Amino acid sequence: MLQAPFHPIIYVRGYAMSEGERNDTAADPFCGFNLGSTIYRASTDKREPPKKFVFESPLLRLAAEFGYGDVYENGLDIMDADWQPRAGNAGIPARSVVIYRYYDDGSTLLGEGKARNIEDYSRGLSALVRRVCALVAAQEGVPEAEVRCYLVAHSMGGLVVRGFLQNPALGEAAARRAVNKVFTYATPHNGIQLAGFQVPSWLTLNDIDNFNHRRMAGYLNLQAVYDKFRRVDFLPEAVFPIDRVFCMVGTNRADYEAGMGLSRAFAGNGSDGLVRVDNASVWGLDARLNITKTAATAYCYRAHSGFFGIVNSEEAYQNLSRFLFGDVRVDIWLQVDEVRLPEALEAQAAEVEALYQFELLARPRGKRWFLSRRTAEEDSPACRTHQQLTRQQDTGGNLIYLSTVFLANRAKVSTQDRTLAYAMDLGVRVPDYQINKRFWPDQHFEGSHLFRDSLLISLEPPINEGGDWQIKHNWESERVGVATRALSYETVKGGALQIEVALPAGHSKPGVSGKVLLIVSAWNT
């Protein structure tokens, strides 16, 4: 019988531009999902040497921690015509990692050496999903319609996945219904911009136009959305639920070496060296409530690929495994109720221009990595203008999404302790104030904070369905290292909990007041 949430995982790799890269991909059994790392950057300063941290690879960790295995048998994979299940099996187990080998035909080693278009790759993914579901059904003894799978994609692989999900011409409805969750690493959901401009549509060499907005609008079935918003990072709720998508965003451009460093130079600040931070996630629209919804998103100081790449990182793996198999989901928001200007500027408040930067470091206790890391130095904070925070509050300008984290009981040391605890380092940077377009340098220091503190949260889910959650918190400025103060909560739509934690009281000028909003819900129930 199937044992949720342990569904088969289909990995969809990213873009291989040249014939040599396609050959390297075809010659790799796991298309990069087997690559690990022994180093990471602890600082944005490349003059500091990297730190040692051994990460074995996503594939090995899924095998060691969750019992997943590959599906190769006698040198063949499941899409080969003469592939046969292993002795004693009728198909493949649910805990299987399947590699979508869509570049084999585009290599000179196993094919004719010519890349195919992204529409063909999406159709091939649909066929692979159906094949996986049929084989798992045969092995587990359940109807094929009951089998679900996870899609995990890097870079362009996420666009292959979206083409399959969003364009009815590129996949079967039965295959789309089988997809339970989608996880993307560093996918250019809103295309690739170089030196501030889109990849041109006429640049068809090596399928680089796959990342052009107009071309993407075609294969993603988003022509009307593109005409209206000039964006293609939209995922219709009717196509696939946005709350079943996770977007992992990289912020380290300095260590991306593709094109001898030209890629990171043209991608610029606020990117992973290829994909800009604000282009690496998707959003949806709830037509019933007339509100926009953002996919679960987390950030890490990792490059698009390479030694310091996002796929071969502990941070991304922890988010992947918790998103797939975790127990609790926490969406982290900040509501700004008041921003206080320096006293000398209060009389000119209407003329003030400023950009506020909101930072977050979400961390499990005792770990050397962050579930999400958003800082000004890494060009990844959430930003709001002074006007948005003070004059557009009725349109939601003062409600800021920071990240989503997933928590897992399996990650805890003690199996007797049911609490799930983590900390959030929150900061609001002092902006550069301008009056009538002129910089105002007085009464603040560049890079300092209007607010900075750490919030400790402890969550204990109810033992029985319908029971009460036990929630505690403390600001570290009040008590270090432990959450002791009980928190109440409100039950909102879908049974989720809304928790409000006021920022520590302060009346300094300049300053900020508001509250942290946590939307907590059971996951994988």
Side-chain angles (χ1 to χ4, degrees):
M1 295 295 293
L2 296 174
Q3 185 181 358
F6 301 105
H7 304 305
I9 297 170
I10 298 176
Y11 175 68
V12 189
R13 70 147 289 144
Y15 175 59
M17 182 173 69
S18 66
E19 179 183 289
E21 290 175 347
R22 294 194 294 274
N23 284 344
D24 289 343
T25 300
D28 184 338
F30 301 103
C31 296
F33 206 48
N34 52 315
L35 298 179
S37 177
T38 60
I39 50 177
Y40 77 102
R41 290 284 186 201
S43 168
T44 57
D45 188 348
K46 287 189 70 174
R47 293 172 297 182
E48 293 188 16
K51 303 293 185 180
K52 183 176 180 180
F53 187 98
V54 177
F55 172 66
E56 305 95 312
S57 80
L59 190 70
L60 282 178
R61 291 287 286 276
L62 287 169
E65 296 181 8
F66 300 102
Y68 275 76
D70 67 71
V71 297
Y72 297 125
E73 180 67 9
N74 293 320
L76 302 173
D77 78 348
I78 62 173
M79 296 304 283
D80 291 317
D82 50 354
W83 178 89
Q84 295 293 325
R86 293 171 184 168
N89 292 352
I92 62 174
R95 299 196 196 204
S96 293
V97 174
V98 180
I99 307 300
Y100 179 26
R101 304 187 56 81
Y102 64 89
Y103 270 131
D104 284 2
D105 291 341
S107 72
T108 58
L109 302 176
L110 299 173
E112 55 188 21
K114 295 182 180 179
R116 296 157 67 182
N117 62 46
I118 200 167
E119 289 89 342
D120 286 340
Y121 299 149
S122 292
R123 292 187 188 97
L125 178 58
S126 178
L128 178 60
V129 169
R130 291 299 305 273
R131 175 72 167 152
V132 168
C133 290
L135 289 170
V136 170
Q139 176 66 21
E140 303 290 349
V142 299
E144 183 178 335
E146 292 184 10
V147 180
R148 297 293 179 264
C149 67
Y150 300 134
L151 301 181
V152 177
H154 175 230
S155 192
M156 189 188 80
L159 301 181
V160 173
V161 169
R162 287 181 60 203
F164 153 59
L165 291 176
Q166 293 184 218
N167 193 332
L170 303 183
E172 298 181 55
R176 288 191 290 271
R177 285 194 298 268
V179 178
N180 182 269
K181 296 174 191 166
V182 173
F183 184 99
T184 66
Y185 301 92
T187 289
H189 287 292
N190 193 45
I192 289 178
Q193 295 172 295
L194 299 176
F197 297 95
Q198 285 187 58
V199 171
S201 58
W202 51 261
L203 189 58
T204 59
L205 178 67
N206 293 321
D207 295 313
I208 295 176
D209 65 329
N210 282 340
F211 310 108
N212 169 268
H213 272 178
R214 195 162 291 282
R215 168 88 172 97
M216 293 174 68
Y219 65 75
L220 295 176
N221 195 31
L222 288 176
Q223 291 88 347
V225 172
Y226 175 67
D227 290 342
K228 182 176 181 179
F229 297 106
R230 286 296 186 265
R231 297 188 70 90
V232 289
D233 48 358
F234 178 72
L235 179 63
E237 189 78 6
V239 169
F240 193 79
I242 196 78
D243 62 356
R244 311 296 288 182
V245 178
F246 193 108
C247 299
M248 196 74 212
V249 181
T251 63
N252 176 8
R253 63 183 285 267
D255 284 308
Y256 188 56
E257 302 295 343
M260 296 180 292
L262 287 176
S263 173
R264 66 169 179 257
F266 283 109
N269 293 330
S271 75
D272 62 8
L274 180 64
V275 180
R276 295 194 60 79
V277 168
D278 54 4
N279 288 338
S281 57
V282 293
W283 60 280
L285 180 66
D286 190 321
R288 295 168 303 167
L289 301 178
N290 195 30
I291 59 172
T292 57
K293 300 173 68 176
T294 303
T297 307
Y299 302 76
C300 63
Y301 188 60
R302 291 284 178 167
H304 190 76
S305 62
F307 296 143
F308 301 95
I310 193 168
V311 176
N312 51 326
S313 70
E314 183 74 27
E315 301 97 320
Y317 170 76
Q318 289 293 337
N319 279 287
L320 170 67
S321 61
R322 291 160 188 256
F323 172 63
L324 297 185
F325 315 123
D327 304 297
V328 175
R329 171 180 180 144
V330 183
D331 297 300
I332 306 171
W333 297 75
L334 183 66
Q335 179 177 312
V336 177
D337 296 327
E338 179 190 23
V339 287
R340 297 181 294 276
L341 294 170
E343 291 183 354
L345 291 182
E346 289 180 333
Q348 306 175 73
E351 287 77 41
V352 168
E353 295 182 24
L355 184 69
Y356 297 83
Q357 300 180 55
F358 299 88
E359 301 176 315
L360 169 74
L361 294 139
R363 52 195 169 94
R365 181 177 295 156
K367 303 299 183 183
R368 295 171 59 192
W369 41 265
F370 298 97
L371 287 171
S372 192
R373 170 171 161 165
R374 306 189 69 174
T375 69
E377 288 83 2
E378 296 163 16
D379 301 311
S380 57
C383 296
R384 291 290 189 277
T385 65
H386 188 73
Q387 180 181 13
Q388 287 173 315
L389 293 178
T390 59
R391 281 171 274 174
Q392 296 181 5
Q393 294 192 8
D394 56 337
T395 61
N398 66 331
L399 188 60
I400 302 151
Y401 171 72
L402 295 177
S403 280
T404 298
V405 298
F406 292 85
L407 308 176
N409 277 312
R410 60 160 185 83
K412 292 157 42 57
V413 175
S414 171
T415 57
Q416 303 300 317
D417 182 3
R418 298 181 63 255
T419 59
L420 299 165
Y422 68 105
M424 293 177 289
D425 301 341
L426 295 165
V428 183
R429 290 287 184 125
V430 173
D432 289 333
Y433 300 105
Q434 293 185 43
I435 301 293
N436 296 321
K437 307 297 183 182
R438 298 183 63 182
F439 174 61
W440 186 82
D442 299 336
Q443 294 186 16
H444 75 284
F445 295 92
E446 176 72 21
S448 58
H449 289 79
L450 296 177
F451 170 82
R452 183 168 56 182
D453 206 340
S454 293
L455 176 62
L456 307 178
I457 293 288
S458 172
L459 304 165
E460 184 176 340
I463 297 176
N464 301 313
E465 185 176 352
D468 293 331
W469 288 66
Q470 302 298 317
I471 304 170
K472 297 179 181 179
H473 83 291
N474 271 106
W475 290 100
E476 283 206 325
S477 59
E478 301 167 339
R479 182 165 180 174
V480 176
V482 63
T484 60
R485 295 170 56 189
L487 268 174
S488 59
Y489 58 83
E490 176 186 355
T491 303
V492 294
K493 180 188 172 189
L497 316 181
Q498 179 171 305
I499 304 167
E500 299 184 1
V501 184
L503 301 184
H507 304 285
S508 61
K509 298 179 180 181
V512 62
S513 298
K515 63 192 71 171
V516 177
L517 299 179
L518 305 177
I519 307 300
V520 179
S521 54
W523 190 245
N524 284 321
T525 55

